[in-house]
Amino acid sequence: MFKLNLKIALRNLWRNKGITAINVGGLAIALAAFILVMLYFTYETSFDKANPNYKNIYVVGRIYPDFKTNYTPPPLGKAIKQHFPEVEKMGITKGSFFELVLKNGNNTVFTNNFLQADYQAAEILDLKATGGLEKPAGDVERLSYLSKESMKTLFPDKTDNKPEMVTVGSSAMGITSKINGSIINNPHSNVTFDGVSIGNELGQGENYGHNNYTTYLQLKPGTDVANLEEKITRLYRAELLKGETDRETIDKIKGISTFLDPLANQHLKPKAGNDAPYKILLALSVLGVLILIIACVNFTNLSIAQATKRAKEVGVKKVMGAFRFQLAIQFLTEILMQCFAATVLALILAELVLPGFNNLFLLKLSIWQVDNGLVWQLPLILFLITFIAGIYPAMVLSGFKPALVLKGNFATSKQSYWLRNGLLVFQFSIAVIFIIGLFIINAQLKYMRSQDLGFKAEQVVYIKNIAYFNNPDKFEPVREKILKIPGIKSATVATGIPNGDANGTNTYTSNGIQASINYLDVDFDYFETLDIKLKAGRFFSKAFKTDTANSAVINESAAAKYGLRNPIGQTITGCNTNYKIVGVIKDFKDRGFENATQPTIYAIKDPCGNPKMEIMLKIEENKMADALAALKAQWPEINKLDGENFRYAFLDELYGRLFKKQEQLQSVFFAAAVLTIFIALLGLYAFAKYITNGRLKEIAVRKILGATDVQLLKLINSSFFTLVVIANIISWPVAYIVTNMWLKTFAYRIDFPVLPFVTTTLITLLLTIVTVSIQAKKAVNANPVDALKYE
């Protein structure tokens, strides 16, 4: 019986090879997209899962009225470990903020992130050194490790695990350091580094004002995390209140709290960070599922459309004694065969597309890795889509009544009319949502690329540097040498560059208002180099000696924050310094379009600031190449600490990386829109063929009675035209809600447009008319005699 059913299935599939090809092809394309989404989803949601204590590790964060941060002071972690027994381990880390140059002879590596960690943090984060992680001796010793790749670059012939000496920075400076070995840098972890310096304790002697460490807690299984958060908050407030007598400060401290953020959250949706990666992953996952659902709907619709061709077969089998269960199994087996063929084809398509996908998301995913989840996901998906796409057609086919179908009356039955049309409307509704989404994403990206940023990143070169220039007098000789090079218009140094990174935050008081605002420590010519616009007052100038002592420039947001109508000459106090406001600049989008411009104070002297290391140069466009070549040649003389290690980047390229996630989303929506409309049109084409073939006699009679080709095409198109209009109307509210939610993630965005809705409707109607007309034209041009000669 099985052999007979298999033969019938294969013959039926071959007889209807056009519909079979559309079914298998459409499903294969959707499955290929879904496979890529599964690979990406599995990769993104499995960061740090290799850590044996993954579920019990938390990051300690602080919540202020104006912001959240993962940065904490060293004493807080010690106090937590001392007071709360549910904390099994506590460790702290501190990242580096500059690029470190390491050399061994002619071999050089540049480490962008040399992580400092105490030994407990190394254990919590499961850091593994070659030959085993050693515990430093005493409180002073630091053990330094480099990644395997860096060690291989510096010591290509090294075969043992013995420590090695390297030169730090310029060879002329003669600074050396010991590297104890290599350490495994897991690329699938939130904790990334080029090298690690491990000590028994970090932050000795630092108090609660040094908030530049990350504190990790490893909790005992079963710990009530919410209760522990409350206890840590009370502890932190108590520590800050020690010795405090100022009522205003006491009230402010009472408004501060802490939180515990699971290690699992750090990659996609940290409580004190950007959750854009999570939204991208969620959007991509939903798109993948919807594309697969559309393909399943397409499969179901075409299977139901083919039902009449199998009606007499079912009738005969039932008369011969076949049970409905047996027939359902037979039809499900046929569908399983098609789904299996689609899965094989999908794997081939996914393998072909994967390089482009990896390039888009900067990944190295592979279909043939055992740990990527496809081994169990694909069989599960195969049987799931077989069930979803096949269960209803199988029930419909196996449920035909023999007496009805053998009389030939089933062809005129309306049993599946509403379902077929409903599924077609569903397909086009999803396609319309994707197309509208694509138009709106394109509009927002066009807006972001064309809007005035408030500063000019073009022709600004960022010079990577490891020297500190906190004192303007120290940078002045460097500036003078740089400006002697033809083409260089200005030079400055600051604690940060406008590339999307957050600035430091501190508490300042002005106009009787105390608030936490951002700060950025700069030097002369900072605003001029970036062409930032002045709203009132003046920029920093060497003509005013007080500018290097206690002068400050604030932005519009800071002036509004403190309610300063006439800020020039007013005082703003912070970090034990009374700053005199000498200028107000217009807000500029230093953190891109997703984050609003923060109230910021700019000063040349800041006792609480960070090292000024970020050198920026404004260079004439037509002299860029010559100026960079001269800088490289003269850099050992200009900046001896860097010496021969001249590195640079263009600021506009660094800022452009802020658009990367949205450009990825744009590419994803483009692919999704193309796939969904393509699959929907495949189904529409096959469905139109079925409907047209069922109306051949009607078309023949109408032609004989004088109907023109245009009238017949209009007749056939009318029902599909109506369905597509309904699909557009249904999808508009959903598209509006989804795209509006996405637009609200931007602080600076376009007004919600209406044109994409109209354009999408016209596009889908045009594609529908063309697709249906191509199929209908064959029936319209056919000889009426061929359709009526048997009547």
Side-chain angles (χ1 to χ4, degrees):
M1 188 68 179
F2 175 78
K3 186 176 180 180
L4 176 62
N5 286 336
L6 183 63
K7 284 184 178 180
I8 294 173
L10 292 173
R11 287 173 181 172
N12 180 66
L13 294 175
W14 180 253
R15 189 183 307 117
N16 300 285
K17 50 183 173 289
I19 299 296
T20 301
I22 290 175
N23 261 351
V24 173
L27 193 57
I29 292 171
L31 264 175
F34 190 71
I35 287 171
L36 295 178
V37 169
M38 284 194 298
L39 284 173
Y40 184 65
F41 184 87
T42 301
Y43 175 82
E44 290 290 298
T45 55
S46 57
F47 270 68
D48 285 310
K49 282 191 175 180
N51 191 315
N53 300 300
Y54 170 75
K55 294 182 179 180
N56 298 317
I57 298 174
Y58 292 80
V59 175
V60 182
R62 298 175 296 133
I63 303 175
Y64 284 76
D66 301 327
F67 65 96
K68 289 182 180 180
T69 178
N70 278 346
Y71 291 113
T72 51
L76 178 60
K78 297 175 186 177
I80 291 172
K81 182 68 174 71
Q82 181 181 355
H83 285 83
F84 307 122
E86 54 264 60
V87 177
E88 190 171 315
K89 290 181 181 180
M90 183 284 301
I92 61 175
T93 65
K94 184 178 182 180
S96 63
F97 44 83
F98 60 90
E99 188 175 80
L100 190 64
V101 184
L102 303 178
K103 293 184 177 183
N104 175 38
N106 294 326
N107 301 325
T108 304
V109 296
F110 301 95
T111 60
N112 294 302
N113 184 13
F114 209 97
L115 184 71
Q116 297 181 57
D118 62 22
Y119 188 73
Q120 287 291 307
E123 287 191 323
I124 292 172
L125 298 174
D126 196 33
L127 302 185
K128 297 177 180 177
T130 304
L133 195 65
E134 296 181 28
K135 185 176 176 62
D139 296 334
V140 178
E141 184 181 16
R142 295 286 186 269
L143 301 181
S144 296
Y145 299 88
L146 289 178
S147 65
K148 285 188 174 181
E149 296 78 11
S150 295
M151 286 295 287
K152 186 68 176 176
T153 301
L154 288 174
F155 307 99
D157 300 323
K158 185 176 175 62
T159 57
D160 55 42
N161 295 325
K162 294 180 180 179
E164 300 285 353
M165 297 301 294
V166 295
T167 299
V168 181
S170 170
S171 303
M173 298 299 293
I175 302 174
T176 60
S177 179
K178 183 169 74 171
I179 302 298
N180 295 82
S182 61
I183 194 165
I184 298 173
N185 186 359
N186 182 7
H188 210 176
S189 171
N190 296 294
V191 184
T192 57
F193 48 80
D194 300 307
V196 182
S197 175
I198 299 175
N200 280 323
E201 186 178 355
L202 294 186
Q204 297 98 321
E206 296 187 10
N207 56 33
Y208 279 89
H210 294 82
N211 297 301
N212 50 1
Y213 292 82
T214 303
T215 302
Y216 293 93
L217 303 181
Q218 182 178 317
L219 306 183
K220 294 178 180 178
T223 297
D224 185 340
V225 177
N227 181 50
L228 181 59
E229 277 184 333
E230 294 178 3
K231 292 193 292 185
I232 292 175
T233 293
R234 289 195 294 269
L235 172 66
Y236 184 50
R237 289 174 181 171
E239 291 293 322
L240 293 179
L241 287 171
K242 286 181 179 179
E244 189 60 61
T245 57
D246 181 69
R247 174 50 54 186
E248 188 176 350
T249 303
I250 292 173
D251 291 339
K252 182 180 178 182
I253 290 173
K254 290 180 179 179
I256 300 173
S257 60
T258 63
F259 64 86
L260 295 178
D261 200 12
L263 185 63
N265 284 1
Q266 300 309 301
H267 179 62
L268 293 174
K269 47 179 182 178
K271 290 182 179 179
N274 188 357
D275 62 351
Y278 174 73
K279 292 175 182 175
I280 296 291
L281 178 65
L282 188 63
L284 190 61
S285 302
V286 171
L287 294 183
V289 171
L290 286 177
I291 290 172
L292 188 60
I293 290 175
I294 287 176
C296 290
V297 166
N298 194 58
F299 194 103
T300 302
N301 215 358
L302 293 180
S303 297
I304 294 172
Q306 289 289 98
T308 53
K309 294 188 177 183
R310 308 292 299 276
K312 291 186 178 180
E313 175 192 338
V314 173
V316 170
K317 285 188 175 182
K318 281 196 169 184
V319 169
M320 298 297 292
F323 293 103
R324 184 174 185 180
F325 173 76
Q326 293 173 312
L327 293 171
I329 293 298
Q330 175 194 336
F331 293 129
L332 279 174
T333 303
E334 292 181 21
I335 292 170
L336 177 62
M337 291 168 59
Q338 294 180 68
C339 291
F340 179 77
T343 303
V344 174
L345 183 57
L347 283 170
I348 297 172
L349 291 174
E351 182 67 23
L352 294 174
V353 175
L354 189 58
F357 186 87
N358 281 336
N359 184 58
L360 174 64
F361 289 95
L362 304 177
L363 299 173
K364 294 181 180 179
L365 302 179
S366 173
I367 292 176
W368 311 111
Q369 287 179 345
V370 179
D371 59 348
N372 60 18
L374 286 182
V375 175
W376 63 270
Q377 289 172 347
L378 269 185
L380 179 64
I381 292 298
L382 173 61
F383 286 103
L384 187 63
I385 61 175
T386 299
F387 180 81
I388 293 173
I391 190 65
Y392 186 81
M395 292 299 102
V396 170
L397 288 166
S398 62
F400 291 159
K401 295 179 181 179
L404 179 63
V405 297
L406 292 177
K407 288 179 181 180
N409 296 330
F410 182 78
T412 58
S413 172
K414 300 294 184 182
Q415 179 179 352
S416 303
Y417 176 80
W418 287 106
L419 178 64
R420 290 199 309 267
N421 288 347
L423 293 177
L424 194 62
V425 167
F426 175 78
Q427 280 183 298
F428 271 91
S429 295
I430 301 299
V432 167
I433 292 171
F434 286 157
I435 296 172
I436 291 174
L438 177 63
F439 277 124
I440 291 177
I441 290 172
N442 286 342
Q444 175 64 18
L445 281 173
K446 183 178 179 181
Y447 167 81
M448 290 163 62
R449 294 189 184 106
S450 61
Q451 277 296 297
D452 181 18
L453 301 176
F455 75 101
K456 292 184 179 179
E458 297 80 8
Q459 273 62 66
V460 177
V461 176
Y462 160 55
I463 307 296
K464 298 179 180 181
N465 159 65
I466 63 173
Y468 289 8
F469 294 111
N470 286 19
N471 189 334
D473 292 337
K474 188 175 180 182
F475 184 67
E476 190 57 34
V478 174
R479 176 191 281 111
E480 290 177 356
K481 292 175 183 177
I482 290 175
L483 293 179
K484 288 179 180 178
I485 297 175
I488 300 181
K489 299 165 66 176
S490 64
T492 190
V493 65
T495 56
I497 61 175
N499 64 343
D501 291 341
N503 296 319
T505 304
N506 209 340
T507 301
Y508 293 86
T509 303
S510 184
N511 198 27
I513 299 173
Q514 186 181 65
S516 293
I517 64 172
N518 286 3
Y519 67 84
L520 187 70
D521 305 334
V522 301
D523 204 276
F524 296 111
D525 294 337
Y526 174 82
F527 303 107
E528 294 88 339
T529 300
L530 295 174
D531 200 14
I532 295 170
K533 305 304 180 185
L534 184 68
K535 182 178 182 182
R538 62 176 178 82
F539 294 139
F540 295 123
S541 171
K542 297 174 187 175
F544 298 89
K545 294 182 178 180
T546 54
D547 282 2
T548 59
N550 63 344
S551 294
V553 173
I554 62 174
N555 62 2
E556 291 175 299
S557 294
K561 181 101 175 173
Y562 291 108
L564 298 172
R565 294 185 178 180
N566 298 300
I568 306 304
Q570 298 290 324
T571 299
I572 181 169
T573 303
C575 200
N576 301 317
T577 304
N578 294 321
Y579 290 103
K580 180 181 178 182
I581 300 173
V582 299
V584 178
I585 61 168
K586 292 186 177 181
D587 288 344
F588 64 99
K589 302 177 181 66
D590 58 328
R591 297 195 62 195
F593 285 75
E594 294 180 30
N595 302 292
T597 301
Q598 296 300 306
T600 307
I601 178 174
Y602 302 84
I604 290 180
K605 182 180 180 181
D606 183 2
C608 300
N610 297 318
K612 282 193 275 190
M613 304 173 60
E614 317 293 350
I615 298 175
M616 288 176 286
L617 313 178
K618 187 80 168 183
I619 304 177
E620 294 178 23
E621 183 177 5
N622 59 350
K623 296 182 180 179
M624 180 67 73
D626 292 339
L628 290 174
L631 279 167
K632 183 176 182 180
Q634 299 178 32
W635 201 244
E637 177 62 27
I638 294 173
N639 189 349
K640 293 182 179 180
L641 189 58
D642 268 337
E644 65 272 20
N645 307 308
F646 178 73
R647 294 99 59 214
Y648 67 90
F650 293 105
L651 186 59
D652 54 352
E653 293 180 1
L654 296 177
Y655 190 85
R657 293 175 186 174
L658 297 179
F659 300 163
K660 185 64 179 178
K661 286 294 180 184
Q662 306 309 329
E663 288 171 347
Q664 289 174 345
L665 189 62
Q666 180 188 36
S667 300
V668 167
F669 257 81
F670 176 77
V674 171
L675 284 177
T676 51
I677 199 68
F678 178 72
I679 293 171
L681 289 176
L682 279 180
L684 179 65
Y685 181 81
F687 195 35
K689 180 178 181 180
Y690 164 75
I691 294 297
T692 305
N693 288 342
R695 302 177 71 176
L696 287 176
K697 293 177 183 178
E698 176 192 348
I699 292 170
V701 170
R702 287 179 181 273
K703 285 191 73 173
I704 290 172
L705 293 176
T708 64
D709 289 357
V710 174
Q711 289 174 322
L712 292 172
L713 288 173
K714 182 179 178 182
L715 173 69
I716 298 171
N717 270 292
S718 60
S719 59
F720 293 103
F721 186 92
T722 302
L723 292 176
V724 174
V725 170
I726 292 172
N728 274 274
I729 294 173
I730 291 174
S731 62
W732 285 350
V734 179
Y736 172 79
I737 292 170
V738 172
T739 53
N740 196 41
M741 287 174 60
W742 176 75
L743 282 176
K744 285 182 178 179
T745 62
F746 293 90
Y748 308 100
R749 55 183 179 267
I750 58 172
D751 295 326
F752 198 88
V754 177
L755 187 60
F757 292 82
V758 178
T759 306
T760 300
T761 302
L762 295 176
I763 289 174
T764 51
L765 287 175
L766 180 62
L767 290 174
T768 299
I769 292 171
V770 171
T771 303
V772 174
S773 296
I774 289 174
Q775 181 57 52
K777 197 169 187 345
K778 299 177 183 178
V780 170
N781 291 336
N783 190 342
V785 176
D786 295 334
L788 299 174
K789 63 183 178 181
Y790 295 110
E791 296 297 326

